[in-house]
Amino acid sequence: MNTTTRMSPIEYAKMILEKVSFEPKIFKKELRKALKNSSKQDFKHLMDWCRERFGKKK
């Protein structure tokens, strides 16, 4: 039996942002890309998560 668990777009974006958080230029590019493709609800969730996780430094 093949039970593949798919990651939601918002969870995928979080994973990518965690991985590139060391480089502000790449982080901003990936954040813009994620926000561009998100719903209003996901947009707010992702922005809140970023502020909580990374503060206002990014």
Side-chain angles (χ1 to χ4, degrees):
M1 180 186 281
N2 185 4
T3 56
T4 305
T5 304
R6 296 196 77 187
M7 191 179 288
S8 72
I10 195 83
E11 293 303 317
Y12 180 75
K14 288 179 182 181
M15 181 186 72
I16 296 299
L17 291 169
E18 288 277 356
K19 289 182 178 188
V20 300
S21 63
F22 68 93
E23 178 58 53
K25 189 174 182 178
I26 298 171
F27 182 90
K28 288 177 186 177
K29 177 184 173 189
E30 292 299 328
L31 179 58
R32 274 191 236 113
K33 197 174 6 174
L35 293 173
K36 177 182 165 190
N37 297 317
S38 66
S39 66
K40 279 186 177 183
Q41 182 180 0
D42 285 347
F43 183 99
K44 181 176 178 354
H45 176 77
L46 189 56
M47 289 302 293
D48 290 344
W49 176 82
C50 282
R51 285 186 195 106
E52 182 179 304
R53 175 68 179 90
F54 303 107
K56 294 187 179 189
K57 63 183 177 185
K58 301 273 183 207

